Amino acid sequence: MKKLILSCALALSVNTVAQDFNGYIVKFKKGSKLLEQKAFKSIGDFEKLNLSFGDFAKLSNVDLSNKAISELMNNPEIEYVEPNWIIKVDPVDTNKEILDPKFSQQWGLVNDGKNSGGWFSRGKAGEDVNAEKAWDITKGSKDIVVAVIDTGIDFTHPDLKDQMWTNDAELNGIEGVDDDGNGFVDDIYGYDFANNDGNPTDGHSHGTHCAGVIGASHNSIGVKGVMANVKLMGIKFLTDSGSGETIGAIKSVEYATKMGAHITSNSWGGGERSEALKEAIQAAQDAGTMFVAAAGNSRADNDARPTYPANYKVDGIVTVGAMDGKGNRSSFSNYGKTSVHVFAPGSNILSTVKNGGYKKMSGTSMATPFVSGVLGLLLANEPGISITEAKERLMESTVLNSSLTKYSAAGRVDAFRMLTNERN
């Protein structure tokens, strides 16, 4: 595996532009002391990564023509070397800012046909996640933590400020001190791995939009989230321009797991397959954290052409496609009869954005947090349900909409059917 991964990297250095990846991820075999050897350090700059599922380092400032690279590849103490891929926010369509948002415009929660159509046509009533009936059973729980791994969250937003997860030791501690000893300083609402600080403020809006879909307060202003009661953990690894590195994604998943997130919502993708990121997601699953992933917006068949992280073969991943207000696959949405598990609303979705605002956006990025929120309702209603059981319930309770079932392993998500265990 070492040779295969690194040979791909060498080919990419010739065939792709530099911004496709930034340095390399090196996994050492257990007990290796290579990082302590002076001669080994001459290959390039190594930054040791403190991860729970193995010994890793980031390698940068390395000359690919250097013979030391081949020596690194063949070193018996190295398990594998792979590119540190650049990851980007899933592209979205952004509509004009909404100054007077209303719940009646949120067709993904309650679709009456009028609120989900276009200029010249109506949507289809009932093609939504069936939120109102689900809320008669549960509106969530403050015991459930959903980590939004993205561009951060505007945690001062009036619709989000009361929904934020807080690290009480840091909130009540001393500024500039790692009060809880978790290795991160002042991580009150989460962490920023793009800038390596404890302030995951969103300067982009993408992460804030996703957070609002999951858990905007039911407070008579603005919009409503799928969950009225939830704790949203803000984890930023994508910069304010919307891009980041695989290593940042790995650190984000690791942080969410370490700090007790039940679900991570992941509306991003890009780069090629990363074994290290797959291992991070597997470690999260082993610790009890679900991973909800966007299928992608390139109108492609993920069965034929995998996209990551959506296509990793990890049981705890739920991959989500986007549908429009008529119950059809959104024109931009990726699909896959085996690799895309479910569909959820993703076209013209109204939610929160930075600086206390509201906008409509479109993308599998928007469909993903709908599913994160629906799963959050299930975990709130049935504490202790396993990841395997939750994923099975989600998929087997979907509405088998004929226009969607040909594009996914199941159908359209229905929160009420899931909570009542109504299966196909």
Side-chain angles (χ1 to χ4, degrees):
M1 182 167 65
K2 289 187 300 181
K3 292 183 179 180
L4 175 63
I5 293 174
L6 192 54
S7 63
C8 289
L10 292 169
L12 280 162
S13 69
V14 176
N15 298 325
T16 66
V17 293
Q19 57 262 37
D20 284 343
F21 62 96
N22 181 21
Y24 297 87
I25 298 170
V26 181
K27 184 177 184 182
F28 299 87
K29 291 186 177 179
K30 189 174 181 179
S32 172
K33 302 294 184 182
L34 285 178
L35 278 178
E36 300 174 10
Q37 298 178 14
K38 186 175 181 179
F40 183 75
K41 293 179 181 179
S42 65
I43 296 172
D45 295 334
F46 285 90
E47 174 196 348
K48 188 174 182 180
L49 305 177
N50 295 317
L51 301 175
S52 65
F53 53 91
D55 297 328
F56 291 85
K58 177 182 177 180
L59 172 61
S60 56
N61 296 324
V62 59
D63 182 0
L64 287 175
S65 64
N66 196 317
K67 290 183 179 180
I69 281 292
S70 60
E71 294 175 5
L72 179 67
M73 179 176 63
N74 294 310
N75 193 299
E77 294 187 44
I78 300 293
E79 189 164 325
Y80 60 78
V81 182
E82 64 181 19
N84 177 31
W85 298 107
I86 298 299
I87 293 172
K88 297 181 180 180
V89 166
D90 213 7
V92 296
D93 301 320
T94 305
N95 289 336
K96 187 177 179 181
E97 185 171 2
I98 306 297
L99 299 177
D100 185 25
K102 298 177 181 179
F103 172 59
S104 62
Q105 298 180 49
Q106 294 185 265
W107 73 264
L109 298 175
V110 180
N111 186 349
D112 63 12
K114 297 177 182 178
N115 60 358
S116 59
W119 287 104
F120 305 107
S121 62
R122 289 168 56 97
K124 184 177 179 181
E127 291 292 344
D128 51 46
V129 299
N130 208 359
E132 283 194 319
K133 289 184 71 174
W135 292 338
D136 289 337
I137 300 172
T138 181
K139 289 188 175 183
S141 168
K142 290 292 186 180
D143 292 331
I144 301 302
V145 179
V146 180
V148 180
I149 299 178
D150 211 285
T151 59
I153 299 177
D154 176 3
F155 47 79
T156 65
H157 196 293
D159 248 339
L160 298 174
K161 63 182 182 179
D162 295 329
Q163 306 290 71
M164 294 302 300
W165 170 87
T166 56
N167 183 347
D168 290 339
E170 296 291 343
L171 179 66
N172 301 314
I174 302 171
E175 186 176 354
V177 174
D178 180 10
D179 299 284
D180 62 351
N182 69 348
F184 303 96
V185 175
D186 297 337
D187 52 324
I188 296 173
Y189 301 110
Y191 201 77
D192 179 352
F193 290 101
N195 298 295
N196 294 314
D197 61 49
N199 182 12
T201 298
D202 185 6
H204 183 284
S205 279
H206 190 269
T208 299
H209 196 278
C210 294
V213 172
I214 297 167
S217 294
H218 294 201
N219 56 5
S220 77
I221 63 171
V223 295
K224 293 182 179 182
V226 176
M227 303 178 73
N229 302 307
V230 64
K231 289 182 179 178
L232 298 169
M233 182 185 293
I235 305 181
K236 178 174 181 171
F237 85 97
L238 299 166
T239 65
D240 291 345
S241 65
S243 66
E245 299 179 359
T246 298
I247 284 177
I250 292 168
K251 290 178 178 179
S252 297
V253 174
E254 173 92 346
Y255 179 89
T257 305
K258 184 176 184 178
M259 300 309 290
H262 299 90
I263 299 166
T264 62
S265 193
N266 303 275
S267 294
W268 43 270
E272 298 297 324
R273 184 184 184 280
S274 164
E275 182 66 20
L277 180 54
K278 176 180 179 287
E279 289 182 24
I281 298 169
Q282 181 65 61
Q285 176 186 309
D286 295 342
T289 302
M290 294 194 76
F291 189 99
V292 185
N297 295 340
S298 56
R299 309 170 187 237
D301 182 352
N302 286 1
D303 290 353
R305 185 180 178 182
T307 184
Y308 300 101
N311 275 71
Y312 288 123
K313 301 298 183 184
V314 178
D315 292 339
I317 293 178
V318 176
T319 298
V320 186
M323 72 178 212
D324 64 19
K326 295 181 179 181
N328 298 322
R329 179 178 70 87
S330 299
S331 60
F332 52 77
S333 179
N334 286 9
Y335 54 92
K337 188 61 181 173
T338 61
S339 58
V340 174
H341 299 109
V342 295
F343 273 78
S347 293
N348 297 319
I349 303 302
L350 178 62
S351 186
T352 49
V353 291
K354 67 178 183 177
N355 300 326
Y358 301 87
K359 286 184 180 180
K360 288 183 178 180
M361 295 185 181
S362 299
T364 56
S365 284
M366 285 63 252
T368 296
F370 268 106
V371 174
S372 299
V374 167
L375 285 167
L377 293 178
L378 179 60
L379 298 187
N381 197 54
E382 299 184 29
I385 189 171
S386 71
I387 290 176
T388 300
E389 291 169 333
K391 183 176 178 179
E392 179 183 293
R393 282 276 289 277
L394 176 78
M395 294 179 65
E396 293 193 3
S397 63
T398 55
V399 174
L400 299 180
N401 176 331
S402 59
S403 63
L404 293 178
T405 52
K406 60 185 176 182
Y407 291 118
S408 64
R412 185 250 296 160
V413 167
D414 188 299
F416 178 75
R417 283 170 55 91
M418 181 194 64
L419 292 173
T420 56
N421 201 13
E422 184 176 346
R423 304 197 180 204
N424 298 309

